[in-house]
Amino acid sequence: VSKKKARGTLIENLLTVFTKLLEFYSKDHKLSIQFLKEVLSTDASRGWSEQLNKFLEHLTNLVQQAQERGEVERGNATQAARNFFALYY
């Protein structure tokens, strides 16, 4: 997971990440439904878990950078990342 410094505010960065994903899914509804079915199947859970952990690490990094800039209060960045993901998913 890249520890590259994010540009923009936390909200701008989160909107960029989630908007790109939603735009991708909106291009092909049938493929998106199939993707969700695969992700939710037990056979795919190991690979999905690894990808999810990487994604959560990226979101955590965004939150930590915002904390360092004083943009948001210091706290549990990992839990904040999980909360943002839950709102998206």
Side-chain angles (χ1 to χ4, degrees):
V1 175
S2 174
K3 297 287 183 179
K4 186 170 88 171
K5 288 287 182 189
R7 298 180 193 171
T9 66
L10 177 61
I11 295 299
E12 291 169 338
N13 291 317
L14 292 172
L15 285 174
T16 297
V17 169
F18 293 124
T19 299
K20 286 183 180 186
L21 289 171
L22 293 171
E23 286 173 353
F24 176 77
Y25 298 139
S26 71
K27 290 180 183 178
D28 189 333
H29 292 113
K30 289 182 182 180
L31 182 60
S32 297
I33 290 168
Q34 185 61 38
F35 170 74
L36 286 175
K37 287 179 181 178
E38 291 292 325
V39 165
L40 297 173
S41 76
T42 56
D43 293 340
S45 64
R46 183 176 301 137
W48 170 245
S49 178
E50 291 172 19
Q51 290 300 319
L52 177 58
N53 286 336
K54 288 179 184 178
F55 188 70
L56 288 173
E57 284 180 40
H58 178 68
L59 294 179
T60 299
N61 185 42
L62 292 177
V63 173
Q64 289 170 335
Q65 288 182 40
Q67 289 172 334
E68 290 168 5
R69 291 190 303 268
E71 186 180 334
V72 295
E73 288 184 26
R74 292 204 176 267
N76 188 332
T78 301
Q79 186 59 53
R82 288 179 181 154
N83 291 344
F84 288 127
F85 179 77
L87 291 170
Y88 150 76
Y89 198 71

